[in-house]
Amino acid sequence: MPSLKQIRRRISSVKNTQQITRAMKMVAAAKLRRAQENMFQARPYSDQLRTVIRDLAARTDKESHPLLQVREPKHVGMVVVTSDRGLAGGFNNNVCKAAQKVINQEKEHAEDVRLIAIGRRGYDFFRKRDGEFIQHHIGLLNDLNFGTAVSIGSAVRKLYEVGFTEESGLDRVYLIYNEFKSAIEQRVVTEQLFPIIPELAGEEQYPTDFIYEPSERAVLDHVLPLYANVMLWRVLLESNAAEHSARMTAMESATNNAGDLIEKLTLQANKARQAAITNEILEVVTGAEALG
Amino acid sequence: MAETFKLEITTPTGVAFKGDVTHVKAPGSEGSFGVLSNHTPFITPLQMGAIEVESPEGEKVFATSGGLADVRANQFLILAETAEALEKIDVDRAKAAKERAMQRLQDMGTREVEVERAQAALLRANNRLSLAGK
């Protein structure tokens, strides 16, 4: 049984930890609010772009644009989105594990699987496991703007485009990230970025007399690269919001656990104190009896 | 009064405009074009310039740095990279951007990519400034 002093020291240490976790939770909540706002503002744009692309892809011949063509996946690329910082529960681990699974699957038929790591956690995870990197980005999530999504998106697209002729290119690109479902729920999503899979629309009939200006090809040339940038932008925002919500939940439960621990330790401290007092009384009484 | 149709201008950072309008003029890649209601389905990239919107509530002008226009029978979607209402253009910021871009263009020896980016930035800043009339 630890001494009273030890228990008290332990209590104050747990209290300190609890203060930190509580502060982190509040910071995460504030950041989450901002991230969520950004995400909601970007949603109409990416949703509409997706609708437009889906329509376009449904109307056009799959062979008419390189970004729509499917080739044998010899060189696979994966964009893995994690966070720079930890203490967010299973947030990073879930993504990394899912990515590892996809890597293992792809390696069965592909010659190589290479990574584009966004966030320090994913980079560290795969560096320790001898992952091959094309590029990695650390610190980018602190200052999210559309420009960063554009630079990564166009880099990925270029790699895919050179994949037709060069070994250094990519034949298939996946996106792996945490989707923000709600403030308390995140879901790991694996999506194929390239080649673009046209989402087959339902019964709806598309007008065939669509006018493309200057030409169908030119419109596709313009829209499809944009699609990559916007997809990345959306994914960065989703992941960012999901990160903060995961951290908030993790810190909330850490704070609660600390509370439980403090309660238990306080009980122990009280018992120890009571025991000490009883002991002292006993000593006094025995002493008095001996004198009498 | 002219028939109205729905216009929506969205950007990656939010919805810039949503409402019923009577006439829209937009800078298509092949030149400026106007859209009235019941336009035939039409899709084109946009270049940098001004989007002029006429609605029953009045006229509005947006500065855009490009995007995509998707016209359906009674619905007009503009997916713009940026779109700012004239009165919301941050003149100081645009001026600062212009100076920065010019400075970068002067420092010769920069890589080709950077020159391209600086030129694009300069064009964007000039577009905003000329529309804002400053």
Side-chain angles (χ1 to χ4, degrees):
Chain A
M1 178 115 177
S3 76
L4 185 55
K5 210 170 162 193
Q6 278 171 323
I7 298 173
R8 289 218 167 115
R9 199 179 298 142
R10 186 88 205 282
I11 291 178
S12 81
S13 125
V14 174
K15 267 188 184 154
N16 277 338
T17 310
Q18 190 188 29
Q19 251 167 17
I20 294 170
T21 56
R22 190 179 287 140
M24 281 184 74
K25 181 191 133 194
M26 288 195 289
V27 171
K31 284 190 176 164
L32 170 64
R33 210 170 311 133
R34 252 208 338 258
Q36 229 175 324
E37 222 168 79
N38 283 342
M39 196 179 63
F40 288 141
Q41 273 173 344
R43 263 193 188 159
Y45 184 80
S46 56
D47 285 353
Q48 277 169 2
L49 186 73
R50 222 195 273 178
T51 319
V52 171
I53 302 250
R54 193 190 63 192
D55 283 13
L56 267 175
R59 282 197 304 268
T60 50
D61 178 13
K62 302 290 159 289
E63 299 300 310
S64 64
H65 197 279
L67 294 181
L68 292 171
Q69 282 167 24
V70 181
R71 14 178 172 127
E72 197 196 334
K74 276 197 286 189
H75 308 285
V76 178
M78 304 222 301
V79 182
V80 181
V81 189
T82 55
S83 69
D84 286 332
R85 271 178 265 174
L87 289 180
F91 179 82
N92 292 309
N93 208 9
N94 290 347
V95 171
C96 291
K97 271 198 210 141
Q100 185 70 58
K101 225 165 146 189
V102 179
I103 292 176
N104 294 341
Q105 271 169 22
E106 292 294 316
K107 276 209 169 136
E108 279 169 23
H109 54 80
E111 278 171 26
D112 55 57
V113 179
R114 283 170 298 160
L115 299 164
I116 293 166
I118 298 172
R120 187 195 305 275
R121 291 279 147 170
Y123 177 59
D124 286 346
F125 182 94
F126 288 106
R127 205 173 43 171
K128 282 181 200 134
R129 287 160 183 77
D130 298 322
E132 272 182 81
F133 294 95
I134 300 171
Q135 38 176 243
H136 65 273
H137 302 269
I138 290 171
L140 167 146
L141 298 160
N142 296 330
D143 178 31
L144 271 183
N145 59 58
F146 191 56
T148 48
V150 170
S151 66
I152 301 174
S154 39
V156 173
R157 174 176 50 82
K158 275 179 199 138
L159 280 168
Y160 182 75
E161 280 170 352
V162 299
F164 279 94
T165 49
E166 285 170 39
E167 293 291 304
S168 62
L170 297 171
D171 302 310
R172 184 181 281 178
V173 183
Y174 289 106
L175 278 173
I176 300 184
Y177 63 99
N178 273 293
E179 186 189 45
F180 176 87
K181 289 212 77 174
S182 72
I184 49 158
E185 199 188 351
Q186 305 87 39
R187 199 165 59 101
V188 176
V189 180
T190 307
E191 271 175 358
Q192 186 172 319
L193 181 64
F194 290 126
I196 293 169
I197 306 170
E199 289 167 54
L200 287 178
E203 313 287 299
E204 218 180 319
Q205 279 292 310
Y206 294 104
T208 44
D209 54 346
F210 233 87
I211 300 172
Y212 297 92
E213 198 178 282
S215 66
E216 185 179 318
R217 175 67 198 236
V219 171
L220 285 174
D221 275 347
H222 181 83
V223 181
L224 294 181
L226 189 64
Y227 174 75
N229 300 344
V230 172
M231 281 294 282
L232 264 156
W233 175 233
R234 190 178 65 84
V235 164
L236 288 178
L237 290 174
E238 290 266 352
S239 172
N240 194 35
E243 176 194 338
H244 293 309
S245 77
R247 181 164 299 122
M248 201 178 80
T249 322
M251 288 302 115
E252 161 108 53
S253 66
T255 309
N256 291 344
N257 288 345
D260 289 350
L261 198 56
I262 288 171
E263 225 168 84
K264 238 186 257 163
L265 286 171
T266 312
L267 201 67
Q268 238 182 60
N270 288 344
K271 266 189 198 156
R273 194 192 44 163
Q274 199 54 56
I277 294 170
T278 317
N279 222 355
E280 257 172 58
I281 293 176
L282 223 67
E283 270 165 26
V284 171
V285 173
T286 337
E289 265 175 11
L291 282 178
Chain B
M1 198 165 93
E3 259 183 86
T4 62
F5 59 101
K6 287 198 187 329
L7 170 72
E8 200 171 338
I9 305 178
T10 55
T11 72
T13 50
V15 178
F17 182 90
K18 191 174 185 176
D20 293 319
V21 298
T22 51
H23 178 239
V24 180
K25 202 174 133 207
S29 66
E30 301 294 288
S32 219
F33 61 93
V35 174
L36 292 164
S37 66
N38 291 316
H39 196 285
T40 185
F42 169 64
I43 187 163
T44 185
L46 292 180
Q47 55 177 343
M48 197 179 298
I51 303 170
E52 290 166 36
V53 178
E54 281 171 37
S55 69
E57 286 86 48
E59 279 183 41
K60 251 189 148 161
V61 183
F62 295 87
T64 179
S65 51
L68 181 81
D70 183 31
V71 184
R72 304 289 168 87
N74 273 311
Q75 185 200 9
F76 186 7
L77 284 182
I78 293 182
L79 297 159
E81 278 154 38
T82 64
E84 290 137 14
L86 267 204
E87 63 274 13
K88 282 193 190 142
I89 291 179
D90 188 338
V91 177
D92 292 334
R93 197 174 150 228
K95 274 188 183 152
K98 183 178 173 177
E99 257 157 46
R100 242 192 348 262
M102 297 227 288
Q103 188 59 47
R104 256 185 287 160
L105 283 175
Q106 265 171 12
D107 299 342
M108 289 308 286
T110 42
R111 295 202 317 262
E112 203 176 315
V113 194
E114 284 170 19
V115 172
E116 242 172 65
R117 271 171 66 174
Q119 275 168 345
L122 183 60
L123 285 174
R124 282 198 301 272
N126 274 338
N127 179 44
R128 289 197 176 104
L129 286 175
S130 71
L131 285 172
K134 296 271 162 72

